[in-house]
Amino acid sequence: MTESDGVFDVDTRTSGVERVVNVRLATKHGDFLAIGYRDLVRGDEQIALVYGDVGGEEALTRLHSECLTGDAFGSRHCECGDQLSAALKAIAAEGRGVLVYLRGHEGRGIGLLAKLQAMKLQSEGLDTVEANLALGLPADARDYKVAADVLHDLEVRSVRLLSNNPQKRDALLRHGVRVSEQVPLLMTPHKENLPYLLTKRDRMDHYLPHLEAVIQRT
């Protein structure tokens, strides 16, 4: 999947982030440069993990939405923790890339407590979209301008985007970052997260072609 058109003129862009600190961060996937930012609009503290020289064109890039339950606790309700590890591994293997970890995106932007409430509704039969709406909240409240601002600060002009979500691609284009390729990040599903993944595919247009083989086996 490729996309390169529709980029807005970045000369008129106003940055909403302030770079605060750079520090080397050793991880099980390799040594990254951790760059801390302050979101000047929302006040959130943001972080980018940078591997190699990412300035210029076609840096392998992941915009990863904060997910405490998946990233820290290994929840099998979603695939977020697996995607986080896989993205860092892929970036290190590439030798050049960046992962922007987006604070304030918990539960697709509705917050931790509302996310847990939505999970309870899902256990009672609603899908992930229906659960958010039943709480009077958007199906997806995330905004990616801060991610684009971070990439602009890093002088990344175009990305190879590690994502199955077309909304991330479209958001980067709106905020002046070209997407030369959308690289699927497909995790092996299991029984606990298959309904969640099917909802993302069928109701949120995520690119998840590998689910068909799973459905045929069940």
Side-chain angles (χ1 to χ4, degrees), residues 15-22 34-40 43-50 100 146 149-155:
S15 180
V17 299
E18 174 190 9
R19 188 188 293 212
V20 177
V21 62
N22 300 353
I35 304 179
Y37 290 90
R38 182 173 293 109
D39 182 338
L40 300 176
D44 294 324
E45 297 175 340
Q46 305 288 1
I47 186 171
L49 297 183
V50 176
V100 183
V146 66
D149 287 342
V150 167
L151 293 174
H152 286 304
D153 180 74
L154 295 171
E155 299 183 351

Side-chain angles (χ1 to χ4, degrees), residues 22-105:
N22 300 353
V23 63
R24 292 288 171 184
L25 183 68
T27 79
K28 65 181 181 181
H29 303 292
D31 292 345
F32 288 77
L33 179 65
I35 304 179
Y37 290 90
R38 182 173 293 109
D39 182 338
L40 300 176
V41 177
R42 291 171 50 97
D44 294 324
E45 297 175 340
Q46 305 288 1
I47 186 171
L49 297 183
V50 176
Y51 199 97
D53 182 5
V54 298
E57 307 294 337
E58 299 191 352
L60 188 63
T61 298
R62 169 73 179 166
L63 310 183
H64 191 86
S65 294
E66 176 183 26
C67 177
L68 179 66
T69 51
D71 297 341
F73 302 147
S75 168
R76 292 174 67 86
H77 179 82
C78 64
E79 58 179 353
C80 300
D82 291 340
Q83 286 189 316
L84 177 60
S85 293
L88 291 172
K89 182 178 179 180
I91 288 168
E94 180 94 357
R96 174 176 179 262
V98 56
L99 183 141
V100 183
Y101 192 88
L102 292 162
R103 307 284 304 281
H105 276 205

